[in-house]
Amino acid sequence: MRVKTAPCLLLQPARLPRPADTSVRAIQTPHARQRGASTGVLLLFVIAILTSALVAAFIGHKIGYQRGYYVLQSEAEQALKSSKVASNELEELRRSNKTMTEQTKAAKQELEISLNNIQAVQKSEQQTRIESRKVAQLNSVYQDFIIEAGGMPLQVVGAKISPLPENAFEYGFDVAMLGDDNKAKPLSVSLSLQNRDEFIDVPLETSRYLIQGIERIRGRFMMPKGFKPLQVKLVLKSGDDTVTQLYDWKLGGMVDNMPLSLIDLPEVSDDPVTP
């Protein structure tokens, strides 16, 4: 017995109705929208980040530029100040250098003048020593000649009395004597002041000397108050020789530019007394 396959077994499976597809699509649509929304939010977020970065970069660049500008401006101002200070210091150095150069030049000139003066003084001293030796040589010749002629008697070759401050006076006598034996002889000196009625002995600083050639008698004395001398008497004694000299009180003139005190006076000069 043959079995035939029923035709219904060869039929295709039946399709689902359209309402079922519609429901499936309706279920899948919200996911697509959420995906699109997330992409947009992400894109906006990225844009916001980029914008913020750009804004931050711009602001940072601007702030950095301003800071850099201010720093450069400050450094430029400081450099300008330093340049001015350096210029002032350089100018001061130039003035100092000029001053030192002028001082050095003046010092060199003064040194040259001083050297010339020293040379002139040395030359003058040398000439003076030469003249002194010449005079000493001539005196030695005269002395030998006088000794051979029997010597020179005791005599006064120069005398003076000069007024000083505080009623004081200075005396100076140059006395000459040379024996025939060319030896020093003892000499005693006395000095007195005389008026019409009385006389006063003047206390001498030194009254005894040894004379051989020229002896200089120097000193000072105080005039007694109220005493007005008319004459000065000088007595010299050496051995058997006695010399007495009377001088008018007007002997010796007034001293110019006289100091106010004896303290301001120099020492008694030993210069020869000019006749």
Side-chain angles (χ1 to χ4, degrees):
M1 177 177 178
R2 295 181 179 182
V3 179
K4 293 183 180 180
T5 304
C8 61
L9 295 176
L10 297 176
L11 293 176
Q12 294 293 331
R15 294 184 178 179
L16 292 175
R18 290 186 179 272
D21 291 337
T22 304
S23 62
V24 173
R25 290 180 181 176
I27 293 173
Q28 292 178 352
T29 300
H31 292 287
R33 290 180 179 178
Q34 290 179 358
R35 188 179 301 170
S38 299
T39 303
V41 171
L42 180 61
L43 182 60
L44 291 176
F45 181 73
V46 171
I47 293 173
I49 291 175
L50 292 176
T51 303
S52 300
L54 292 174
V55 172
F58 176 76
I59 295 174
H61 176 74
K62 185 175 182 180
I63 294 174
Y65 175 79
Q66 290 179 349
R67 289 183 178 179
Y69 173 77
Y70 291 140
V71 169
L72 291 176
Q73 186 179 13
S74 177
E75 291 179 352
E77 292 177 354
Q78 187 65 31
L80 182 60
K81 292 180 181 178
S82 300
S83 177
K84 291 181 179 179
V85 172
S87 299
N88 294 333
E89 292 178 352
L90 181 60
E91 185 66 24
E92 184 65 25
L93 287 174
R94 288 177 179 173
R95 288 195 295 267
S96 300
N97 185 29
K98 183 178 179 181
T99 302
M100 293 181 64
T101 302
E102 293 176 353
Q103 292 177 352
T104 303
K105 184 177 180 180
K108 288 181 178 179
Q109 293 177 353
E110 292 178 358
L111 179 60
E112 291 178 358
I113 294 173
S114 299
L115 291 176
N116 293 332
N117 291 336
I118 291 174
Q119 292 177 356
V121 170
Q122 291 176 346
K123 186 176 180 180
S124 177
E125 289 181 352
Q126 183 179 6
Q127 188 66 28
T128 301
R129 288 194 295 267
I130 293 174
E131 294 297 329
S132 179
R133 288 194 293 267
K134 290 181 179 180
V135 172
Q137 183 183 22
L138 182 61
N139 289 338
S140 179
V141 173
Y142 287 161
Q143 184 175 345
D144 293 339
F145 178 79
I146 292 172
I147 291 173
E148 291 177 359
M152 181 175 58
L154 182 63
Q155 57 184 304
V156 179
V157 296
K160 73 170 184 178
I161 294 180
S162 302
L164 299 176
E166 303 176 7
N167 202 28
F169 294 86
E170 181 176 300
Y171 60 85
F173 301 98
D174 291 342
V175 180
M177 180 181 176
L178 187 61
D180 55 2
D181 57 357
N182 195 22
K183 293 182 180 179
K185 306 295 182 180
L187 173 68
S188 62
V189 182
S190 65
L191 184 66
S192 61
L193 306 175
Q194 300 178 358
N195 58 15
R196 295 183 182 275
D197 301 324
E198 57 183 344
F199 70 91
I200 297 175
D201 289 330
V202 176
L204 303 178
E205 295 183 3
T206 302
S207 61
R208 295 188 179 276
Y209 300 87
L210 285 176
I211 184 170
Q212 184 182 10
I214 300 293
E215 187 63 36
R216 293 178 175 84
I217 302 169
R218 300 288 187 271
R220 294 169 180 169
F221 66 92
M222 301 294 296
M223 180 70 71
K225 292 184 178 180
F227 186 80
K228 295 181 179 180
L230 298 177
Q231 288 183 328
V232 178
K233 182 179 180 180
L234 177 67
V235 180
L236 306 174
K237 292 183 180 181
S238 179
D240 297 334
D241 294 335
T242 300
V243 175
T244 301
Q245 292 282 355
L246 290 175
Y247 300 99
D248 187 29
W249 176 246
K250 295 180 180 180
L251 178 67
M254 295 294 293
V255 177
D256 294 333
N257 300 323
M258 183 185 301
L260 298 178
S261 174
L262 290 174
I263 300 176
D264 300 328
L265 287 176
E267 296 295 330
V268 179
S269 175
D270 200 33
D271 290 338
V273 177
T274 57

